[in-house]
Amino acid sequence: LPIMYRLFEYGETVICGLPDMDMAADKWRQDLLPVIERSRYRDLLPTAGSGSRGGQTRAVRFRNGATLRFMSGGGGDKSRAGFTSRVLVVTETDGLDESSEASREADKLTQMEGRTRAFGSRRRVYLECTVSIEEGRTWREYQAGTTSRIVLRCPLCGGWVSPGRDALRGWQEADSAVDARLQAHFTCPACNQAWSEEHRRRANQEARLLHRGQDITPDGGITGEPPRTDTLGFRWSAVNNLFVTAGDAGADEWRASRAADEENAEREMLQFVWALPYKSAAADAMVLTAQGLIARQAATPRGLAPEGTTCITVGVDLGKYLAHWAAVAWSADGGSVLVDYSRFEVPTERLGVEAAIVVALREFRDRMAAGWGSPDGSTLRPDLVWIDAGYQAEAVYSFAAESGETYWPTLGRGAGQEAARNYNRPKNTGSTVKLIGDGYHVVRLKGAPTWVVEVDADHWKSWLCGRLTCATDAPGAMLLFRAMPRDHMSLAKHLTAEKETQEFLPGKGIIRRWQVIRRANHWLDACYLAAAAGHAAGVRLPQLDYAPPPAPDAPRSPVTAPDGRPYFIMER
């Protein structure tokens, strides 16, 4: 409907965004062309060229001068460049909300939206998709927009309601899918009376749309101001779908409740029947937010260690062209301040990757030698610098071997790591294992010219998250150096690029994992390495004072038998 409306009522070019070009031919031949042929716009169909007969369908130019241009998420970035339009219509939105590793540009959907940027506030973008997860583009856009909902007038009581999944009744008592189809029906949330299919049809014909913050009066009047947003977002579910009956939805629910793969069946019901995001059995543990992070600021500015600093540790996350680092100042009570963080370039294109990493790390070592100032005027230099050797390990090993005891190569182990490998804590030290710490150990790997620290990435990310989410005056809290909020925004996005979940697995109990939300997580890796290095440097949270319970004022009276003898035989 939006495509035809813009092509024929406005006579303007439309970009149709798709996950791949194989969908373009199906979209044209099965969805668009049959509708156009049966409408009053049939005479505008092209008589020659693309769209007039079979073959590849990339762009269809209609006889009113408008063009329908299909654009896919496949191919390189240039395949989405060079064509502009005021109108973009995208289907399967969540399948485009990710950039490839080879891409230096934004995700594919954002690139498509960039084709409309020249039209400013006059551009129109339509996004459509079944809901996937809460972090998916569709649900995020819906929540950030008007968050509108469809309300129906009950044909029985006249109340305005939005029946959801709990309003579908009858299937729960069925003995089979056939019985569930016969017994299922929707009920009005207001009067609790059962709706027939005719009731449901009439209710949808009188539907109204309520935006977030609005209410509806008994006579159908809408009160309240709509939210100030550019995005109109609404969803519809099984109660609004007149192509299927309540019995169809009830049979689906009955089968899903008895499916062998319960989680997959629940995902299918939420996404395809109720238009709700799926939330797995893995529940979020601690929630780290960008705004919450930015608000956690110390009194000291960038580069100045706070008073009482006992040591400084640094973590480095290496990349092919850029490296990210973070420095944490620790105090005797276990508290910490992120005193500095930045990036440095790796001149790979000029020197080649191995040599470039060594050269870049040597320049970084010179920067670390300058240290940071302290309130008493002294200069503090890092006690430990832990460098991620997951990328180009040999170059990092070589640099660490020449740099002394301060610089250590590390290998992160955990479910969220690129080369996923669980952390295995050794039981004893010996010729191979030099030291066993809390969530890390120092080991001599075969062929490595220096000792290497293997780190439990999941453990230390959870530890870091705990220090960044606790109250700012709590023991061991971590703060950021004082700066304008916008100055910490990039850091905050990196630190929230992953989230911790906890999931109950039969036979294993509660399992904690870190899941990647965005690829740009480099300062998160640098910070957890600096945190683990702090523990290796001796930073500990002092034990809280423990006051034993007061002794009773008088000894308890012994229990005796009725004749006065001790009750317990062994006391007689």
Side-chain angles (χ1 to χ4, degrees):
L1 289 176
I3 288 174
M4 292 182 62
Y5 176 64
R6 293 292 174 177
L7 284 172
F8 305 132
E9 294 293 323
Y10 279 77
E12 59 184 335
T13 292
V14 175
I15 295 175
C16 179
L18 306 159
D20 59 71
M21 287 305 293
D22 289 338
M23 286 184 65
D26 294 337
K27 214 37 144 176
W28 171 248
R29 296 192 186 99
Q30 296 183 24
D31 292 352
L32 291 168
L33 181 58
V35 176
I36 298 172
E37 288 176 335
R38 287 160 178 79
S39 73
R40 65 179 182 270
Y41 308 116
R42 67 178 68 87
D43 294 337
L44 299 180
L45 285 167
T47 56
S50 179
S52 61
R53 53 188 179 275
Q56 188 78 8
T57 305
R58 185 177 182 86
V60 180
R61 183 174 177 82
F62 296 92
R63 298 173 70 181
N64 65 346
T67 298
L68 174 61
R69 169 69 153 83
F70 290 99
M71 188 174 288
S72 79
D77 297 333
K78 300 307 178 186
S79 67
R80 289 173 287 278
F83 192 95
T84 61
S85 172
R86 190 175 83 94
V87 181
L88 170 66
V89 182
V90 181
T91 185
E92 302 297 340
T93 305
D94 286 5
L96 297 165
D97 190 27
E98 184 176 323
S99 58
S100 66
E101 291 189 14
S103 175
R104 294 193 179 187
E105 298 188 31
D107 63 78
K108 297 163 185 175
L109 179 57
T110 301
Q111 292 178 45
M112 289 181 182
E113 290 179 324
R115 302 306 102 215
T116 68
R117 192 171 300 278
F119 295 88
S121 61
R122 296 190 302 114
R123 60 181 175 170
R124 294 292 179 266
V125 178
Y126 300 83
L127 306 178
E128 174 275 326
C129 190
T130 52
V131 180
S132 56
I133 57 176
E134 290 180 335
E135 294 80 15
R137 180 64 172 267
T138 303
W139 192 254
R140 295 203 318 267
E141 292 279 4
Y142 171 70
Q143 294 285 2
T146 57
T147 323
S148 305
R149 59 189 177 94
I150 300 172
V151 292
L152 312 177
R153 186 195 288 275
C154 175
L156 302 175
C157 70
W160 291 94
V161 293
S162 296
R165 192 177 188 181
D166 56 350
L168 182 65
R169 309 278 180 82
W171 65 268
Q172 295 89 341
E173 298 81 21
D175 295 325
S176 68
V178 174
D179 290 340
R181 179 175 286 104
L182 294 174
Q183 297 170 200
H185 60 272
F186 282 99
T187 58
C188 171
C191 66
N192 206 33
Q193 296 187 70
W195 283 0
S196 66
E197 284 302 295
E198 176 60 21
H199 289 148
R200 187 166 70 98
R201 185 185 64 81
R202 284 166 47 194
N204 275 282
Q205 288 177 336
E206 298 183 35
R208 305 294 298 273
L209 193 65
L210 282 187
H211 305 314
R212 184 176 70 247
Q214 290 185 326
D215 293 308
I216 188 166
T217 61
D219 61 357
I222 296 177
T223 62
E225 292 294 322
R228 296 176 63 85
T229 173
D230 291 333
T231 301
L232 167 66
F234 64 96
R235 51 177 283 271
W236 59 91
S237 66
V239 72
N240 310 113
N241 184 1
L242 300 183
F243 289 107
V244 298
T245 66
D248 294 329
D252 288 340
E253 286 282 15
W254 190 91
R255 281 188 288 265
S257 67
R258 290 158 176 78
D261 189 342
E262 184 177 347
E263 187 171 353
N264 185 64
E266 178 68 6
R267 181 188 296 113
E268 180 181 359
M269 292 302 299
L270 288 174
Q271 294 177 353
F272 296 108
V273 179
W274 301 107
L276 290 170
Y278 173 72
K279 192 174 183 65
S280 71
D284 291 352
M286 293 174 285
V287 179
L288 198 61
T289 65
Q291 296 303 322
L293 280 169
I294 292 172
R296 300 177 63 88
Q297 297 200 16
T300 51
R302 179 195 290 267
L304 181 64
E307 187 174 355
T309 296
T310 58
C311 70
I312 294 178
T313 58
V314 179
V316 183
D317 183 54
L318 282 174
K320 186 175 183 179
Y321 299 102
L322 277 176
H324 294 69
W325 62 272
V328 178
W330 304 92
S331 58
D333 62 359
S336 56
V337 175
L338 186 62
V339 292
D340 205 354
Y341 61 89
S342 188
R343 301 178 295 190
F344 59 89
E345 292 188 4
V346 180
T348 298
E349 293 182 351
R350 179 166 55 90
L351 301 177
V353 63
E354 295 87 353
I357 285 177
V358 174
V359 168
L361 286 174
R362 286 171 179 167
E363 293 177 354
F364 173 70
R365 185 176 60 198
D366 295 339
R367 162 66 185 87
M368 293 295 99
W372 294 271
S374 64
D376 62 6
S378 62
T379 299
L380 299 178
R381 296 177 179 83
D383 294 73
L384 283 177
V385 179
W386 283 12
I387 306 168
D388 181 16
Y391 177 71
Q392 295 297 329
E394 296 300 327
V396 179
Y397 295 162
S398 175
F399 168 78
E402 72 179 38
S403 299
E405 290 294 321
T406 300
Y407 294 83
W408 290 77
T410 68
L411 293 172
R413 307 299 191 193
Q417 302 306 107
E418 288 189 8
R421 175 178 162 186
N422 291 330
Y423 176 78
N424 293 313
R425 186 178 188 272
K427 296 180 179 179
N428 302 299
T429 59
S431 58
T432 302
V433 179
K434 179 180 181 181
L435 171 72
I436 302 174
D438 181 15
Y440 63 88
H441 62 272
V442 180
V443 63
R444 175 76 76 174
L445 296 179
K446 184 177 181 180
T450 183
W451 293 95
V452 179
V453 186
E454 291 196 358
V455 186
D456 185 346
D458 292 339
H459 168 81
W460 280 102
K461 287 176 184 177
S462 298
W463 187 97
L464 178 69
C465 183
R467 298 302 175 94
L468 289 171
T469 53
C470 67
T472 55
D473 58 352
M478 181 178 289
L479 306 177
L480 313 183
F481 63 77
R482 177 169 50 81
M484 295 295 291
R486 64 175 179 270
D487 296 335
H488 284 310
M489 184 56 71
S490 293
L491 172 75
K493 289 183 176 180
H494 279 236
L495 292 179
T496 57
E498 298 181 20
K499 70 174 182 179
E500 183 187 21
T501 64
Q502 51 188 18
E503 180 178 4
F504 177 80
L505 295 179
K508 296 184 178 180
I510 298 296
I511 304 298
R512 293 177 179 269
R513 292 191 177 97
W514 279 81
Q515 296 181 349
V516 177
I517 301 173
R518 296 182 298 275
R519 292 180 181 275
N521 62 351
H522 308 297
W523 273 313
L524 172 61
D525 289 344
C527 286
Y528 92 71
L529 288 176
H535 188 277
V539 176
R540 299 291 186 275
L541 187 66
Q543 296 295 321
L544 299 178
D545 294 335
Y546 171 72
D553 295 335
R556 187 179 62 179
S557 299
V559 179
T560 60
D563 60 1
R565 291 179 301 163
Y567 180 81
F568 293 104
I569 294 176
M570 65 280 292
E571 294 178 358
R572 294 178 186 172

